[in-house]
Amino acid sequence: MISKPKIRIPQAVIMLGLVSLLTDAATEMIYPLVPVYIAALGSGAIVLGIIEGVAETTASMLKLISGIISDKIGKRKLLVLIGYSISSVIRPLTGVVTSAWEIIIVRMFDRVGKGIRTAPRDALIASSVDESIRGRSYGFERAMDHTGAVIGPLLAIMTLLILFIGFGLKDSLLALRWTFILAIIPGILAVLTLFLFVKETASKKPIGNSFDFSLKNFDKNFRNYLLVMILFTIGNSSDAFLLFRVEEAIQKSGAVVKLVNSIDPFRRMVLHFGDEAARTKIINILFLPLVWAFFHIIKAAFSTPLGTLSDKIGRKIVINTGWGIYAFVYISFALLVFLSPGLQIIATFVLFAVYALFYAFTEGTEKAFVADLVSDEKRGTAFGLFNFSIGLGALPASIIFGFLYSYFDKVIPGYGGTVAFGFGGTIALISMMLLALKIKEPSRGISQV
């Protein structure tokens, strides 16, 4: 039997992947440093939860609106371009805020841009590819996004080192500000790439004359999928909390500072950072982007092959495998407190590597499943609903997590993370059962790839 030739990922998807890479490089020059930035501005876990919850909920509401509009006007690229442009201009303003609460405003408008672009972009990808490579195509876009998330933290570290060593800067807060401001450069490159090299492949003919919207336009199976996604998201708090947990472990153990001081070239380099207190603070700041980059290397490496796997064995089994990994990692983070400080650092790296697989299994596959469940003319709205559903869970998720973390840390010092992460792991296990029992997976024409 002669196998069918392998279908290539279209140029439009490759270029959108490059746009995602550049945009995430800009985002991740900032994101892994936000917890320490908030701490430097005098705030903690509850403020972090509010910032992340408001930001993601704002984005998700707009994803629904932009998805509906993109179906009606049939012009996906225009909305995608507007969304990326807003984020690229607003995001670097994180570097000029004077209090942690002002970050909420910046993050909210950054997420406005994300909200406008995401559903039309996902629909554009679905319209550009053969159904037999949907999983691979969404996995590729996610892999490019995560590659940018590797590059971003490394750019942040390079920028910080230049500021600390090359310019002799001693003020770590000022160095963070300049790093955030310089994130505008890859953001602008992303917008130019989208404008010049991504061709419109969706229909330019308006689909319908009315902007009326109803969930009744979608079947019960798709609506149930959205409900399960909402539940899972309630237990899926912002990854900023993982970084917050890592920062706690670093500070309490002092293991990273000891490691740096034990390696002579690194020890001589950090002598440029000022007195011992300043050196300790800067070493810990530089460590967070390294952890984040390591995390995204795993995501980038596995997103495409695991998206392709869902084309072959089905979406539900791949998604539930990812959710199972999520539950395991969160429950393990809940138990970190019972390890010695040195082992906590080692365990953190191992858990971050495993946690990255959760994203590789689920991100592209969840989107490919949306495309499987609805027809082409409804996909902009469907992706908007999908992301809106995630947003409905995002605000309570991060606020609940931040409250549990802070409240129980006061009631039982050192155990706030145990309660918060345990809650997230439990919700993930319940979601797995509901996905397996309540959602039907449609048959698809699967070619050999």
Side-chain angles (χ1 to χ4, degrees), residues 64-75 79 211 381:
L64 173 58
I65 296 169
S66 68
I68 295 170
I69 292 173
S70 75
D71 278 346
K72 299 303 178 182
I73 67 174
K75 295 182 179 179
L79 291 169
F211 284 85
T381 304

Side-chain angles (χ1 to χ4, degrees), residues 311-427:
D311 289 329
K312 296 179 178 180
I313 68 173
R315 315 293 187 204
K316 282 173 57 176
I317 190 171
V318 174
I319 293 171
N320 255 346
T321 302
W323 286 3
I325 291 170
Y326 178 93
F328 166 77
V329 169
Y330 260 54
I331 291 170
S332 298
F333 262 104
L335 301 176
L336 272 183
V337 69
F338 299 106
L339 298 178
S340 67
L343 286 177
Q344 285 191 34
I345 297 295
I346 296 171
T348 295
F349 265 100
V350 173
L351 288 174
F352 257 88
V354 176
Y355 183 57
L357 292 175
F358 150 67
Y359 280 102
F361 270 101
T362 60
E363 280 189 319
T365 307
E366 288 171 356
K367 292 181 178 182
F369 201 21
V370 173
D372 292 343
L373 293 173
V374 300
S375 58
D376 183 63
E377 68 273 9
K378 297 178 182 178
R379 281 189 185 135
T381 304
F383 279 113
L385 278 167
F386 170 75
N387 289 290
F388 178 68
S389 298
I390 292 173
L392 283 178
L395 180 57
S398 290
I399 292 177
I400 290 169
F401 195 97
F403 171 77
L404 292 174
Y405 208 124
S406 297
Y407 177 77
F408 282 97
D409 210 41
K410 294 176 182 176
V411 175
I412 315 173
Y415 287 86
T418 300
V419 175
F421 282 107
F423 170 78
T426 302
I427 294 294

Side-chain angles (χ1 to χ4, degrees), residues 119-336:
R121 182 200 64 201
D122 291 341
L124 186 58
I125 292 173
S127 300
S128 302
V129 302
D130 185 86
E131 72 168 35
S132 65
I133 61 166
R134 277 183 193 145
R136 191 202 315 167
S137 297
Y138 283 111
F140 171 79
E141 189 274 330
R142 290 290 82 203
M144 292 291 280
D145 185 89
H146 297 318
T147 301
V150 174
I151 295 170
L154 298 179
L155 287 174
I157 291 172
M158 194 185 305
T159 303
L160 288 166
L161 288 175
I162 291 171
L163 292 169
F164 288 136
I165 298 175
F167 289 89
L169 202 61
K170 297 295 190 294
D171 186 339
S172 58
L173 180 59
L174 183 59
L176 288 171
R177 291 185 185 280
W178 272 110
T179 301
F180 296 163
I181 291 169
L182 291 171
I184 196 171
I185 297 173
I188 290 173
L189 291 175
V191 173
L192 290 174
T193 300
L194 174 62
F195 179 73
L196 295 174
F197 300 111
V198 175
K199 295 182 179 179
E200 177 74 69
T201 56
S203 172
K204 293 180 174 60
K205 183 179 178 181
I207 304 171
N209 298 317
S210 172
F211 284 85
D212 291 341
F213 162 74
S214 174
L215 277 171
K216 293 180 180 179
N217 294 328
F218 300 92
D219 65 20
K220 184 179 179 181
N221 193 43
F222 179 67
R223 296 198 300 268
N224 284 342
Y225 179 53
L226 297 181
L227 289 174
V228 174
M229 288 303 308
I230 291 171
L231 177 63
F232 177 77
T233 307
I234 288 174
N236 183 10
S237 62
S238 169
D239 289 342
F241 285 109
L242 295 177
L243 292 170
F244 195 81
R245 181 69 184 87
V246 172
E247 187 192 11
E248 281 188 338
I250 293 170
Q251 289 181 350
K252 290 178 181 178
S253 69
V256 176
V257 175
K258 291 177 184 177
L259 177 64
V260 170
N261 286 330
S262 68
I263 303 173
D264 191 59
F266 289 165
R267 184 186 61 79
R268 284 188 272 112
M269 182 180 70
V270 301
L271 289 175
H272 295 278
F273 295 166
D275 60 25
E276 185 176 352
R279 291 199 298 270
T280 298
K281 182 182 293 185
I282 291 169
I283 288 170
N284 290 341
I285 287 173
L286 292 173
F287 183 72
L288 286 179
L290 280 177
V291 173
W292 201 237
F294 167 74
F295 175 53
H296 282 281
I297 287 172
I298 307 296
K299 291 165 78 172
F302 287 95
S303 287
T304 303
L306 290 177
T308 303
L309 181 65
S310 79
D311 289 329
K312 296 179 178 180
I313 68 173
R315 315 293 187 204
K316 282 173 57 176
I317 190 171
V318 174
I319 293 171
N320 255 346
T321 302
W323 286 3
I325 291 170
Y326 178 93
F328 166 77
V329 169
Y330 260 54
I331 291 170
S332 298
F333 262 104
L335 301 176
L336 272 183

